Amino acid sequence: MGEKARTATIAEIARDGDGWSPLRMHLDVRAFGVNAWTASEAGAPLIGEHDEAPSGHEELYLITAGRATFTVEGEEIAATAGTVVFVRDPTSKRAAVADEAGTTVFAVGGQPDAAYRPRAWETNASVFPLFGEGDYNGAKRALTEALDRYEDREGLLYNLACAEARLGETEAAIAHLGESIALRPSFAELARNDEDLEAIKGDPRFDQIVGAEQAAG
């Protein structure tokens, strides 16, 4: 007999530091994106400001505990436990801040009339703590394994370049940085001031990739 159901609680899988409960990855959900975030204190961000233009996703947010203030395209929305906020337009900027400690938001997203594909941000978010711990080999391994799982791989390539630069792997770092910026030119500005790339900034190819004229300025 096959598996009937998987269970988890938001609290038991919440990460220290950012309060993210990676429900989609933990449960291996494949039909839609689903995650939760819990704020440790009032005023902490629950949902960072973003839009879903790259993914085309509609998103639904449910406050399961506490109180939050959403901002959608400049309009503030007070949300107590049980409040649902649905953002249909992927281009709409949205964000949410906790109004009290312990506030939790449950989020579901997907693209109408299209098969769901996971987005690379979840792996990028998973490796940031490894950078903080100085575990660049672990970060490199996780990012390399994820490259073929996502269509939007530019962020993975950028962070892989950062890990490789930290490890002194210049050739690989230069190659992956070039790939990432070719896919998302805005990363060039980020790279110019990124301490993780310090080891390759003396390489003339770095200036070519990020734009020698801008880097000199």
Side-chain angles (χ1 to χ4, degrees):
M1 182 178 293
E3 180 185 53
K4 292 184 177 180
R6 295 182 181 182
T7 66
T9 69
I10 290 174
E12 73 185 4
I13 63 172
R15 300 196 314 179
D16 291 336
D18 60 6
W20 174 35
S21 297
L23 292 167
R24 195 209 70 77
M25 293 194 296
H26 183 81
L27 299 171
D28 190 27
V29 178
R30 303 174 188 178
F32 48 85
V34 56
N35 292 279
W37 288 267
T38 301
S40 59
E41 60 185 10
L46 275 175
I47 303 294
E49 185 178 63
H50 72 288
D51 62 50
E52 288 296 325
S55 68
H57 286 180
E58 297 181 341
E59 285 193 325
L60 182 147
Y61 305 95
L62 166 65
I63 297 297
T64 63
R67 296 179 296 112
T69 299
F70 283 81
T71 304
V72 181
E73 286 296 299
E75 178 184 346
E76 289 194 352
I77 301 168
T80 55
T83 301
V84 173
V85 177
F86 175 53
V87 184
R88 185 185 303 278
D89 185 353
T91 67
S92 294
K93 292 282 187 184
R94 79 290 306 265
V97 175
D99 293 333
E100 62 183 55
T103 298
T104 298
V105 61
F106 177 85
V108 180
Q111 185 176 354
D113 304 319
Y116 176 75
R117 290 288 302 271
R119 305 291 293 176
W121 71 265
E122 59 187 22
T123 291
N124 284 321
S126 297
V127 302
F128 288 151
L130 298 178
F131 275 86
E133 296 163 7
D135 184 4
Y136 304 117
N137 278 308
K140 175 187 173 182
R141 184 167 53 253
L143 291 162
T144 300
E145 291 172 354
L147 282 178
D148 293 331
R149 294 205 301 264
Y150 303 96
E151 293 177 318
D152 59 326
R153 56 205 305 265
E154 56 270 22
L156 297 173
L157 289 164
Y158 182 91
N159 289 325
L160 180 56
C162 290
E164 290 163 338
R166 287 287 192 179
L167 292 168
E169 301 174 3
T170 299
E171 295 301 316
I174 288 289
H176 287 134
L177 181 63
E179 285 185 66
S180 70
I181 291 176
L183 291 169
R184 187 179 296 183
S186 62
F187 280 166
E189 182 176 356
L190 178 64
R192 293 179 200 123
N193 300 306
D194 196 326
E195 293 182 359
D196 287 326
L197 298 172
E198 211 55 50
I200 64 172
K201 289 183 180 179
D203 191 303
R205 292 171 295 177
F206 178 85
D207 284 351
Q208 293 172 1
I209 291 170
V210 305
E213 184 177 331
Q214 296 96 316

